[in-house]
Each structure stands twice: as C-alpha cells, then as structure tokens.
Amino acid sequence: MPTKILHKERLIPGRTSKLVLDAPQIAATARPGHFVILRVDEKGERFPLTIADTDKEHGTITIVYLVLGRSTQMLEELEEGQFIHDVCGPLGRATHIQRFEAPKKVICVGGGTGVAAMHHIAKGHHEAGNYVIACIGARNKDLLLFEKELSLFCDEVLVSTDDGSEGQKGIVTDLVKGRLDSEGGNIAEVVAVGPVPMMQAVSELTRGYGVPTTVSLNSLMVDGLGMCGACRVTVGGEMKFTCVDGPEFDGHKVDFAELRSRLGSFRSQETVVREHHRCNCFEKKEA
C-alpha cells in the first residue's frame, strides 16, 4: 500500500535523512526495537529500516536512513507529499523494557544512524519510568544525530566526538566507561545500537562490570521475514535469525568475530562502482 511522506528533513545533507510517514496501522502497534521493510517503487528491492519514533495520535512513524546504495538513493530522491510504494511492519521482536527502581539507571549508546533506533528505545525506557543516560558519538559535530531529540526526555545526554569538536574528545565507549566507573554499580542495563565494532566494544567493556547489555543487529537483515537466512548469527552457541529472533540480543553472547567476518564477505563487490548496481530480479532471461 502506498505510504505518503509527510515530512522530510536532511539531517546530514547528501548522507542522512529523516522521514515522517503516514502509517496509522503501523504506528498503532509499533514498539521500540521494531523495524519496517520498504520498497521505493514496484520493481525496487526490499530493505529494512528500524523505526526511530512513533506518534499514535497522528498515525505516523519516523525512519532515518543513510544514503549508501541504489535503494536509499532512490528514497532520497523522494520529497514531502510523494509516496513510497509500500511499507510493511512492524516486524521483529520489540525491545524488552522493564522498570528499574532508583538508584538504578539505564545507559543507551548510539553511533551513526543507530542513534535514531536507540532514540526509540531510550524513549521507551523513559516512559517506563527509568533514569536514562544517552551516550552518543560521531567523528565530528557535523555528523551527530538526535542530540536535541534525546535531550527532550533523557535525564542526561553525553556526547563524544573523535576530533573534540563537540562534547568529550574520544570515542563513545569512553563515555560509557566513565559512567560505569562513577555510578558504582547503579547501572542496571546498557543498550547499544550502531556500527558492529562499536557494539562489540561496548559489550566487551560491560562484560567486565557484569552489566547486562543488549545490542541491535539490524545491519544483517535482507528480506526481514526469516526466509532468506542471510541474517543468521550465532548467539550463545546457537544459530539465530536476526529478523525474527531479534534484532536485539544479549551482547555478551553474540559471536562478534563470526558476525564481522560475514559482514565483510562481499566488501569487494559492494565497493565496485556502486552507481552501476541494479537489481536483476525482473530482467528477462534469454531462452
């Protein structure tokens, strides 16, 4: 069913954009952690995007995407008032959110476009009554996302940049370690969403503190319905499918070495002349 774009904001021009979509049925049931599958036009590929926010009253969902391949470039070419061919969701398992009694706190860590997905989870913890510390990082201040949005409900928003142009100079795990050290055991849970190396680093850090840690592995998804098997990942020695068993898993049980190896399997093909990439699913075959 065609889905109308009600609002578009280019967060980082030419790189990252935010869309607010008219999707009342999805907005009515979507929860933090859920994702949708989009198809820009009739012959376009299906690709997943995590829901960054919902507004049940107005029947809208918010998505944020990085302009990387042909499909996201097609999405970037659409403007307010135009339609996405179809949007399917909510999909996946919602984030497990429970209320922690004070002085217990939750740290939500985000990097890159993962900050948008983390935003929805942090908001869920806030609505559950938890004290939320948001830790976000980027290479420089121009690449930071959702700092203002997170400040509307998070009790604290901590920022780090590689070059020190905003917040603390360094990487986001430095912020997490600082709070783990200063809180003296009051951190009940850490949630990390973003690049795989960042989620792995956060998980390895929190393991030493014995703090439960959740990571989101949405970068693995292809079809989003558990049929293709491309999103398989080993968690606690068992094979899981990110799209139907996740996308969130215990970060201390994920086999990150295997995950990073699989993500890099087709890197050479992915980097060869991206502009010439196109889907061949609908090409007519010669007899």
Side-chain angles (χ1 to χ4, degrees):
M1 182 177 179
T3 300
K4 188 175 183 178
I5 299 173
L6 300 178
H7 174 72
K8 181 171 186 174
E9 182 180 351
R10 289 181 170 87
L11 303 176
I12 304 174
R15 180 183 174 92
T16 307
S17 291
K18 177 176 77 173
L19 300 179
V20 178
L21 307 179
D22 181 26
Q25 291 181 316
I26 298 176
T29 56
R31 294 164 55 197
H34 279 146
F35 65 94
V36 293
I37 292 283
L38 287 76
R39 196 160 52 129
V40 180
D41 62 21
E42 185 178 2
K43 294 186 178 181
E45 71 172 338
R46 302 169 70 256
F47 62 99
L49 289 173
T50 305
I51 298 172
D53 204 359
T54 62
D55 186 330
K56 293 179 174 58
E57 181 180 353
H58 294 95
T60 66
I61 65 170
T62 299
I63 57 173
V64 174
Y65 58 93
L66 175 67
V67 182
L68 186 61
R70 177 57 183 153
S71 294
T72 47
Q73 181 59 54
M74 291 169 62
L75 186 59
E76 181 67 357
E77 292 168 2
L78 297 179
E79 299 294 343
E80 291 181 8
Q82 292 185 291
F83 291 81
I84 298 172
H85 189 272
D86 53 59
V87 180
C88 174
L91 300 171
R93 294 178 179 268
T95 304
H96 174 71
I97 294 177
Q98 66 182 86
R99 181 174 182 180
F100 299 105
E101 297 296 330
K104 294 293 185 180
K105 302 175 182 179
V106 176
I107 296 178
C108 292
V109 191
T113 54
V115 175
M118 181 274 275
H119 167 271
H120 203 196
I121 297 170
K123 190 174 182 179
H125 275 287
H126 165 74
E127 292 174 347
N130 291 327
Y131 187 103
V132 181
I133 303 169
C135 295
I136 60 174
R139 291 198 302 274
N140 58 63
K141 65 178 182 179
D142 296 328
L143 299 178
L144 283 168
L145 297 175
F146 274 65
E147 181 180 1
K148 181 176 68 176
E149 289 86 345
L150 287 164
S151 67
L152 296 176
F153 58 83
C154 288
D155 298 279
E156 299 178 55
V157 179
L158 309 180
V159 175
S160 69
T161 51
D162 293 359
D163 64 359
S165 53
E166 184 168 341
Q168 177 177 309
K169 183 176 182 179
I171 56 178
V172 74
T173 49
D174 296 335
L175 298 176
V176 179
K177 185 178 187 305
R179 293 318 299 262
L180 289 171
D181 288 338
S182 66
E183 289 293 338
N186 287 334
I187 301 301
E189 182 181 2
V190 172
V191 179
V193 189
V196 169
M198 181 273 280
M199 293 190 289
Q200 180 179 4
V202 170
S203 298
E204 291 175 351
L205 172 65
T206 59
R207 188 194 305 275
Y209 292 82
V211 176
T213 300
T214 300
V215 295
S216 180
L217 306 184
N218 48 24
S219 59
L220 280 172
M221 295 181 204
V222 178
D223 89 315
L225 299 174
M227 296 186 293
C228 70
C231 70
R232 62 190 183 278
V233 62
T234 301
V235 182
E238 298 181 1
M239 185 179 71
K240 300 289 184 180
F241 292 99
T242 301
C243 61
V244 292
D245 297 319
E248 295 173 3
F249 298 98
D250 183 339
H252 297 159
K253 295 182 179 180
V254 173
D255 186 336
F256 279 105
E258 177 191 67
L259 171 58
R260 295 182 70 170
S261 175
R262 290 195 60 237
L263 286 173
S265 297
F266 299 98
R267 185 162 293 130
S268 59
Q269 292 94 321
E270 290 171 351
T271 55
V272 174
V273 201
R274 287 185 184 274
E275 61 269 24
H276 293 312
H277 170 76
R278 60 191 176 92
C279 178
N280 294 317
C281 294
F282 295 93
E283 293 294 317
K284 292 183 179 180
K285 304 295 182 181
E286 295 183 4

